[in-house]
Amino acid sequence: LFGLPDQAAHERVLFATDEQTGLKTILAVHSTARGPAFGGCRFWSYGNELAALNDALRLAQGMSLKNALANLPFGGGKAVILKPAGEFDRTALFAAFGRAVASLNGAYITAEDVGTTTGDMRIVQQHTQFVSGIPRDGAFGGDPSPKTAWGVFVSIEAGVRLHLKRDTLEGVRVAVQGLGAVGWHLAEFLHKAGAKLLVADVDAAKVARAQELFGAQAVHVNEILAADVDVLAPCALGAVLNAGTVPQIRAKLVAGAANNQLATAADGDTLHGRGVLYLPDYLVNAGGIVSVAREFRNEGEESAVMAEVSQIRDRVAELLDRIRVSGNTPAREADAWARSKLVAG
Ligand code: NAI
């Protein structure tokens, strides 16, 4: 396990396989101090099992910090399923995954993440009650992505006001990397607020649609991080803020949905040294977990969810207050703040 992040800090890690369906899954429970570990399930083609384990451990730890900062009565966990190389039966695979979740007896609650859908979670639900993110008749729930996007949007608004000293998003140039489930909704909110969008996605059709609907400017995927913009919103995959990219970033504010954006803590220091305000991913992208957590507890309605997600705006302001006092970088301050909350509530 050399080189893996804080693996000793995880309470429990289950590697489950199912020969019949080809399931290989890793369920990582980082902390249950605040409550059962809650975090989505990623379905991904990993190069090898070590890469999958590394992803699960990093993501689970991030969920602990995210859930704590969002004041949720849940700990942090995450599951990854290694996508089988050949043909597979998706329904049977997710049924087997549901049984793996059930085997943890509620220590871990799952939901969607990259590569999984509400349909997959419906199958999981047939095998365990410890699942969320499933549409319900006459009640909020299901796909958490629009709520995640709303949380990122209000964070960008707060960052633009407090760091760029601009009252509105009118004319603010925002680069969105990845127009997936979250990035697309974010682009829509930003467009409605008058921002000028620069977008990149490996899927050319999504870029074309954003050009058409939002008047967005298309940027090559290799150039989006270095685009000449005010705000950069990474909404694709992790570790995009690294030694190679950070020196090229021209945005003054970085706030996006992607988990684990900083490759290393040192990259956060370098960004800060360059005068770039980085709003930590797990602070700004908590909207989805807020939604699935309320759905799981069957609490409130859509407006209550939105109000709770909008509180992320206040936490961004609080983070900036805190760093003024401590002199820390936002990434290190958020980490210390979240870890101080990783205790029984
Ligand atoms: P998604 O899979 O729907 O979207 C990702 C998009 O990024 C896709 O359109 C894909 O084509 C694009 N992409 C992939 N590689 C790219 C590259 N090199 N350059 C530009 N675009 C690229 O995923 P989703 O759900 O939108 O999530 C995005 C990120 O946000 C992930 O890191 C996820 O873990 C994180 N996140 C998502 C939440 C949610 O509610 N869906 C909640 C919290 C975090």
Side-chain angles (χ1 to χ4, degrees):
L1 296 180
F2 291 112
L4 292 175
D6 282 1
Q7 65 272 24
H10 290 72
E11 283 178 21
R12 204 178 335 175
V13 181
L14 172 68
F15 196 132
T17 60
D18 179 69
E19 218 173 315
Q20 225 171 7
T21 59
L23 176 74
K24 274 188 182 177
T25 181
I26 299 168
L27 295 88
V29 172
H30 176 260
S31 168
T32 55
R34 297 180 60 89
F38 209 147
C41 168
R42 182 166 291 196
F43 187 49
W44 194 251
S45 298
Y46 290 98
N48 55 53
E49 289 165 4
L50 199 60
L53 178 61
N54 192 11
D55 209 23
L57 295 181
R58 273 173 64 96
L59 289 164
Q61 181 178 272
M63 288 310 301
S64 287
L65 303 181
K66 187 184 307 194
N67 294 346
L69 269 193
N71 299 318
L72 296 174
F74 292 104
K78 200 91 179 183
V80 303
I81 300 177
L82 292 89
K83 196 170 190 172
E87 297 245 314
F88 63 92
D89 176 341
R90 191 162 180 127
T91 303
L93 195 80
F94 277 90
F97 172 70
R99 293 194 291 274
V101 173
S103 76
L104 290 177
N105 292 318
Y108 167 67
I109 305 161
T110 199
E112 295 88 352
D113 188 58
V114 174
T116 54
T117 65
T118 52
D120 298 329
M121 293 308 130
R122 279 192 205 279
I123 296 161
V124 172
Q125 193 186 29
Q126 289 166 21
H127 301 273
T128 178
Q129 59 180 296
F130 299 109
V131 57
S132 190
I134 298 165
R136 304 175 295 173
D137 282 341
F140 75 89
D143 179 12
S145 311
K147 309 290 193 301
T148 304
W150 181 252
V152 176
F153 174 73
V154 298
S155 300
I156 291 175
E157 269 188 336
V160 163
R161 189 166 45 82
L162 298 168
H163 186 64
L164 303 186
K165 310 288 182 207
R166 289 173 69 166
D167 288 341
T168 73
L169 287 174
E170 191 68 48
V172 172
R173 290 162 61 84
V174 187
V176 180
Q177 180 192 39
L179 292 170
V182 182
W184 182 266
H185 288 288
L186 175 64
E188 194 169 14
F189 293 139
L190 290 166
H191 172 63
K192 283 195 183 137
K196 284 191 73 69
L197 292 174
L198 285 78
V199 300
D201 198 293
V202 287
D203 183 340
K206 290 179 183 167
V207 173
R209 244 170 84 77
Q211 284 178 292
E212 186 189 322
L213 295 180
F214 311 141
Q217 182 184 328
V219 177
H220 192 274
V221 288
N222 294 337
E223 287 164 11
I224 190 79
L225 295 171
D228 184 11
V229 289
D230 304 301
V231 183
L232 171 64
C235 297
L237 290 173
V240 290
L241 306 175
N242 55 50
T245 60
V246 163
Q248 299 176 21
I249 288 173
R250 289 195 272 176
K252 286 282 170 267
L253 172 68
V254 177
N259 283 312
N260 297 331
Q261 287 167 41
L262 289 174
T264 68
D267 297 311
D269 298 340
T270 315
L271 267 178
H272 188 67
R274 297 185 68 240
V276 181
L277 176 65
Y278 166 67
L279 295 179
D281 41 28
Y282 56 80
L283 170 65
V284 308
N285 72 10
I289 192 75
V290 165
S291 175
V292 294
R294 270 188 178 262
E295 178 189 327
F296 185 74
R297 288 178 296 165
N298 198 12
E299 248 183 40
E301 45 194 59
E302 175 83 17
S303 59
V305 182
M306 291 307 280
E308 191 177 342
V309 175
S310 298
Q311 288 170 10
I312 295 173
R313 185 190 276 131
D314 307 331
R315 287 197 281 276
V316 168
E318 181 171 348
L319 179 69
L320 299 195
D321 284 344
R322 282 171 175 262
I323 61 178
R324 258 192 298 280
V325 175
S326 69
N328 264 341
T329 66
R332 292 190 187 273
E333 186 65 35
D335 198 79
W337 184 13
R339 283 181 195 279
S340 74
K341 295 165 74 111
L342 280 191
V343 289

